[in-house]
Amino acid sequence: MNDRSGMNHRRIRVAQFGLGPIGLEAVRLAASRGWLEVVGGVDIDTKKVVQSLGALTGDAALNDAPVVADFEQLWQQAKPDVVLHTAGSSAAQTAEQIEPMLARGVSVASTCEQMLYPWLRAPEAADRLDAVGREHDARVVGTGVNPGFVLDLLPVCVSGVCRSVQRVYGERVVNASTRREPLQRKVGSGMEPAAFRQRFAEGKAGHAGFQESLALIAHALGWPIGAIEETCDAVVTARSIRTQYFAVEPGLTCGLHQIVRAATADGRTIELDLKMYLDAPNPHDAIHLDADPPVDLILPGGVAGDTATVAALINAIPPLLAARPGVRLMTELGVSCCAEALAGTPAATVAAT
Amino acid sequence: MNDRSGMNHRRIRVAQFGLGPIGLEAVRLAASRGWLEVVGGVDIDTKKVVQSLGALTGDAALNDAPVVADFEQLWQQAKPDVVLHTAGSSAAQTAEQIEPMLARGVSVASTCEQMLYPWLRAPEAADRLDAVGREHDARVVGTGVNPGFVLDLLPVCVSGVCRSVQRVYGERVVNASTRREPLQRKVGSGMEPAAFRQRFAEGKAGHAGFQESLALIAHALGWPIGAIEETCDAVVTARSIRTQYFAVEPGLTCGLHQIVRAATADGRTIELDLKMYLDAPNPHDAIHLDADPPVDLILPGGVAGDTATVAALINAIPPLLAARPGVRLMTELGVSCCAEALAGTPAATVAAT
């Protein structure tokens, strides 16, 4: 049993793999945590490699944190305990990137969407990572907000008060006008609807990790599922829409409507419904369990995306390090919570009361 | 590392301690789970001891499951892996009852409200239980719906997508008219308001485990808190109310309004607000985090009490057995989810897709 009791005695050494906007935001948040020490970064972009994390983030305290071109160099210079991985959606590609980390005994928290449930698209890579992690006392988990929380971890968590569940339904409506340019682009803003549908069919558009959300729910509930159906249609605007980044004329795509569904042999179903489009009214997240007892849950406004994704990534570190080695699922970790400070002993929390 | 891989190969042997209405409901639900084998029960009521669990529950399949007067007898006859404990609200008293179980290497899931966070009221007993559990590879957790889920585990879980939290607010409104007679009695139905207040002051009325809910949140967030304030007032009806069990005239108590609050030295606060009264309109659970990003969450109708409590108890067994030994908190376990079936391997869940 690795209880990592050292966590309260020295700071956890964390490095960042992938220095795009999300990666840099993760570095900034990590640097603000007293229990973390940011020791370096990795990016394959050689322009970034000549700079320190201080230069990339504007945080002078990180001027001594090197930026290098591959993990092995980072390992030699900085010996991280944990790597935050924010570099792509493909589990197969992520597995190649992080296997050397696990082999060094370094654990990994990743925003790679397919890593939420890597056995869906890359079962062999998942098994291999699992074996390497177990051999070297390292663990890896895929996390985030969507996938990673609202449409997977949250419904699973809520089912904990149910005697039986017949149907899991989750929906998320995002007003893309309030989001970053890459998200507005990702949902197809301004494209011809036929062109958007074609891009989805080619696997080049749409929300990544949606099937993984469904698979995680099915797995946690112990439901062996048949094929996962996934559809994605363009949302077409009837009026002109103008955002900070896009101008969309009537008849063109202003976002997407994506659905995943699966059923068990005995007729239980999971359905997740995602709408992300410009000027979407009533943004929210909602979960409905046809269950005993039934449970309805609404998050008015919905959980913000990017800023919360970085929080989820950092907050996963303490339960990840306490988990058993190998490839872990978010449902297997202790509850990930806002970790501005690390918890001490249960006795110390209430000593003054 | 105890990964209990045997869980998929043989059924987990479960016994029930406490054979009141909730305990019998737990037995019935456990008997419906293919991965559990109900092997016996314990109750100090000698009238119950002459019967089998079959006679007590009406389930003939349990006719061979003995009912005995103490755990040691049960151990000799039935060798359970896990005991479900539904016998009282006091952590100190529960600790006395379950220490012999842990000493036999038997794990315990308990609905004892104070066991949700036993270091609050019984820190020495909690430390001793923890030591006994660690010595004998057994673990214990306190769980349920309230306390155990809606006003503690759920807000902690939701904070996992936050960068920082300033205030945690939770509220629960229960229409007591829809609940069992003991709950209607517990909330003071029909009492003179002054008499109800007096009973709360004497520790004989009110919702148990409320301070523990708050302590669990504070601990998970790493917030050392000052004194927990707790108030409980009578809700007084202005009109006649008639339920299946009570008739309450104007001016008398029809329920309670209980609040717990605490703050950290740097001004962060937790406040939980519970109203349980006859004919309460708009029953619901709600969580609000003043946080970055802020999170609002509403469960219209609220999570049903008794039926869900038994579900929470049984659903906690798989993550409890996978946790490290000692006294565990619900926030430390893997996510407890509806466990009609146990999950197999992640690869098997999606093998057909």
Side-chain angles (χ1 to χ4, degrees):
Chain A
M1 181 59 53
N2 178 353
D3 74 0
R4 298 267 163 168
S5 56
M7 284 202 336
N8 295 320
H9 304 302
R10 72 162 179 90
R11 295 194 290 168
I12 297 166
R13 297 171 65 82
V14 64
Q16 174 63 39
F17 188 100
L19 296 171
I22 298 285
L24 291 180
E25 196 53 33
V27 168
R28 286 189 195 96
L29 185 60
S32 76
R33 293 285 185 256
W35 51 277
L36 286 176
E37 182 180 358
V38 178
V39 298
V42 180
D43 203 291
I44 53 169
D45 179 343
T46 50
K47 275 207 299 278
K48 289 173 182 162
V49 168
V50 296
Q51 306 175 60
S52 74
L53 281 180
L56 287 176
T57 60
D59 181 346
L62 298 176
N63 282 348
D64 293 335
V67 176
V68 296
D70 67 56
F71 171 74
E72 190 55 30
Q73 260 185 277
L74 182 79
W75 171 254
Q76 294 305 335
Q77 294 183 40
K79 301 282 188 294
D81 300 309
V82 187
V83 168
L84 303 176
H85 175 273
T86 60
S89 302
S90 152
Q93 199 178 343
T94 295
E96 282 180 24
Q97 292 169 341
I98 69 181
E99 186 177 325
M101 304 173 193
L102 300 184
R104 288 291 194 184
V106 176
S107 291
V108 180
S110 176
T111 58
C112 168
E113 288 89 344
Q114 294 183 0
M115 281 302 294
L116 184 80
Y117 201 92
W119 280 275
L120 185 63
R121 320 253 190 170
E124 284 162 27
D127 281 340
R128 196 176 60 245
L129 278 184
D130 191 47
V132 173
R134 283 187 283 115
E135 187 181 346
H136 298 280
D137 192 31
R139 51 283 283 157
V140 53
V141 74
T143 188
V145 167
N146 183 32
F149 183 73
V150 286
L151 293 181
D152 34 53
L153 188 61
L154 189 57
V156 167
C157 180
V158 170
S159 82
V161 295
C162 298
R163 301 162 62 105
S164 67
V165 179
Q166 275 298 314
R167 176 172 183 255
V168 177
Y169 174 77
E171 70 178 27
R172 177 166 168 88
V173 176
V174 174
N175 176 2
S177 298
T178 64
R179 301 289 296 273
R180 296 184 309 137
E181 190 273 346
L183 185 123
Q184 294 188 14
R185 180 177 307 280
K186 178 176 101 168
V187 301
S189 298
M191 292 181 71
E192 291 284 351
F196 176 78
R197 290 179 193 116
Q198 180 63 29
R199 279 186 68 83
F200 177 79
E202 291 165 357
K204 293 177 184 162
H207 165 66
F210 213 19
Q211 295 189 28
E212 281 75 7
S213 286
L214 189 151
L216 184 61
I217 295 170
H219 176 67
L221 295 176
W223 292 6
I225 47 170
I228 300 176
E229 262 184 76
E230 183 168 28
T231 62
C232 184
D233 203 358
V235 176
V236 177
T237 184
R239 59 178 183 81
S240 295
I241 299 177
R242 199 162 293 271
T243 75
Q244 193 181 344
Y245 310 109
F246 286 90
V248 183
E249 295 309 312
L252 296 181
T253 302
C254 67
L256 60 76
H257 182 189
Q258 195 162 336
I259 298 171
V260 285
R261 284 192 196 93
T264 63
D266 64 351
R268 301 174 198 239
T269 58
I270 305 173
E271 178 172 339
L272 306 176
D273 185 299
L274 174 67
K275 292 179 182 138
M276 296 200 284
Y277 61 99
L278 304 178
D279 292 2
N282 185 27
H284 67 275
D285 302 321
I287 306 294
H288 176 74
L289 303 184
D290 282 355
D292 174 19
V295 182
D296 273 303
L297 187 150
I298 302 163
L299 291 93
V303 174
D306 299 329
T307 180
T309 296
V310 172
L313 188 67
I314 306 258
N315 292 337
I317 296 174
L320 177 66
L321 293 183
R324 62 198 167 90
V327 177
R328 299 272 64 82
L329 304 171
M330 278 303 286
T331 49
E332 296 174 320
L333 302 188
V335 176
S336 189
C337 65
C338 182
E340 285 174 275
L342 282 191
T345 66
T349 298
V350 293
T353 70
Chain B
M1 180 59 54
N2 179 354
D3 74 1
R4 299 266 163 168
S5 57
M7 284 200 339
N8 295 320
H9 304 302
R10 72 162 177 89
R11 293 194 291 169
I12 296 166
R13 296 171 66 82
V14 64
Q16 174 64 38
F17 187 100
L19 296 170
I22 299 284
L24 290 179
E25 196 54 32
V27 167
R28 287 188 194 97
L29 185 59
S32 76
R33 293 285 184 256
W35 51 277
L36 286 176
E37 181 178 358
V38 178
V39 298
V42 180
D43 202 292
I44 54 169
D45 179 343
T46 50
K47 276 209 298 280
K48 289 172 180 162
V49 168
V50 297
Q51 306 174 61
S52 73
L53 282 180
L56 288 177
T57 60
D59 180 348
L62 298 176
N63 282 347
D64 293 334
V67 176
V68 296
D70 67 59
F71 171 74
E72 190 54 31
Q73 257 184 282
L74 182 79
W75 172 254
Q76 294 305 336
Q77 294 184 39
K79 300 282 187 292
D81 301 309
V82 186
V83 168
L84 304 176
H85 175 272
T86 60
S89 301
S90 152
Q93 199 177 345
T94 296
E96 282 180 22
Q97 293 169 340
I98 69 181
E99 185 176 326
M101 304 173 194
L102 300 184
R104 287 292 194 184
V106 176
S107 292
V108 180
S110 177
T111 58
C112 169
E113 288 89 345
Q114 294 183 359
M115 282 301 295
L116 184 78
Y117 200 92
W119 281 274
L120 185 64
R121 321 252 191 172
E124 285 162 26
D127 281 340
R128 197 177 56 246
L129 279 185
D130 190 48
V132 172
R134 282 186 283 117
E135 187 181 348
H136 298 280
D137 192 29
R139 52 281 286 156
V140 52
V141 74
T143 190
V145 167
N146 184 31
F149 183 74
V150 284
L151 294 180
D152 34 55
L153 188 62
L154 189 57
V156 167
C157 179
V158 170
S159 82
V161 295
C162 297
R163 301 161 62 104
S164 67
V165 179
Q166 275 298 315
R167 178 173 182 253
V168 177
Y169 174 76
E171 69 177 30
R172 177 165 167 89
V173 176
V174 174
N175 176 3
S177 297
T178 63
R179 300 288 296 273
R180 295 183 309 138
E181 190 274 346
L183 184 123
Q184 294 189 12
R185 180 178 306 281
K186 177 177 101 167
V187 301
S189 300
M191 291 180 73
E192 291 285 351
F196 176 77
R197 290 178 194 118
Q198 179 63 29
R199 279 186 69 83
F200 177 77
E202 291 166 356
K204 293 177 184 161
H207 165 64
F210 213 19
Q211 296 190 27
E212 282 75 8
S213 286
L214 189 151
L216 184 62
I217 295 170
H219 176 69
L221 295 176
W223 292 6
I225 48 170
I228 301 176
E229 262 183 77
E230 182 168 29
T231 62
C232 185
D233 202 359
V235 176
V236 177
T237 185
R239 58 178 184 79
S240 295
I241 299 176
R242 199 162 293 273
T243 74
Q244 192 181 344
Y245 310 109
F246 286 90
V248 183
E249 295 309 313
L252 295 180
T253 302
C254 67
L256 61 77
H257 182 190
Q258 194 163 338
I259 298 171
V260 285
R261 285 192 196 93
T264 63
D266 65 349
R268 301 175 196 238
T269 58
I270 306 172
E271 178 172 340
L272 305 176
D273 185 299
L274 175 66
K275 292 180 183 135
M276 295 201 284
Y277 62 99
L278 304 177
D279 291 5
N282 185 27
H284 67 275
D285 303 320
I287 306 294
H288 176 73
L289 304 184
D290 282 354
D292 173 20
V295 183
D296 273 303
L297 187 151
I298 302 163
L299 291 94
V303 174
D306 299 329
T307 180
T309 296
V310 172
L313 188 67
I314 307 258
N315 292 339
I317 296 174
L320 178 66
L321 292 183
R324 62 197 167 89
V327 177
R328 299 271 64 84
L329 304 171
M330 279 303 286
T331 49
E332 296 174 319
L333 303 188
V335 176
S336 189
C337 65
C338 181
E340 285 174 273
L342 282 193
T345 65
T349 297
V350 293
T353 68

